[in-house]
Amino acid sequence: MAKLWLSLHVLSAILLIGPMTVAASLLPGRVRAALTEGAGAADPPARWLHRTCRVYAVLGLAVPAFGLVTAARMGILTDLWLIVSLGLTLAAGVLLAAWILPAQARALALLDTGPGADAPAAATSQTALSQLTRLSIVTGIFALLWAVVVVLMIVRPGSTTGA
């Protein structure tokens, strides 16, 4: 039964976390391109990327759930590598919910409004670009957290369950 849960865990990670991470990483560049091209609100790909992140964030809760069931079945819930992986997973989830998704919504709002009427276009543009740069950096950290979790899941340092 542990193999079934492990399979569900790995498949859900590949099918849910992977696309969400890619979509989150692509969104800042897509918004930047839309602002540069003047596409504004008429840029469906940016909105689709944000929707992908929101939907997959909810569905992605299955990944740690399947992982915890797998770990319980294998009797490794107290292994340090697993605890660290869970901590990094929690950090990635908090980063996504508390920072990335709201920042994406703000970035999409830039497409709706364009340069503000009460601020010079250059200042608004510079602010928008700095917001998108910060979003790019944070989504890079988000992706790095997932990469470290994957390495920990494969290497399992100190594990006695085999390599």
Side-chain angles (χ1 to χ4, degrees), residues 74 81 152-163:
M74 294 174 70
W81 66 270
L152 285 171
M153 292 289 161
I154 293 169
V155 175
R156 300 184 309 194
S159 174
T160 59
T161 60

Side-chain angles (χ1 to χ4, degrees), residues 12 28 39 41 43 72 77 88 90 95 104 117 136 151 154 158-161:
S12 63
D43 189 62
L77 282 174
L88 293 173
L90 179 63
L95 189 62
Q104 287 179 345
S136 294
V151 169
I154 293 169
S159 174
T160 59
T161 60

Side-chain angles (χ1 to χ4, degrees), residues 41-137:
D43 189 62
R47 297 187 188 292
W48 179 82
L49 290 169
H50 180 56
R51 181 176 178 182
T52 298
C53 290
R54 286 191 339 258
V55 170
Y56 280 49
V58 174
L59 296 175
L61 294 172
V63 176
F66 290 146
L68 284 170
V69 172
T70 302
R73 294 272 183 182
M74 294 174 70
I76 57 171
L77 282 174
T78 58
D79 284 10
L80 182 60
W81 66 270
L82 183 65
I83 294 168
V84 171
S85 294
L86 287 170
L88 293 173
T89 298
L90 179 63
V94 168
L95 189 62
L96 179 68
W99 207 95
I100 294 173
L101 292 175
Q104 287 179 345
R106 288 190 300 274
L108 291 176
L110 292 171
L111 293 179
D112 293 336
T113 60
D118 58 345
T124 303
S125 175
Q126 191 60 31
T127 301
L129 291 178
S130 68
Q131 287 175 356
L132 292 172
T133 299
R134 278 192 300 276
L135 180 56
S136 294
I137 291 168

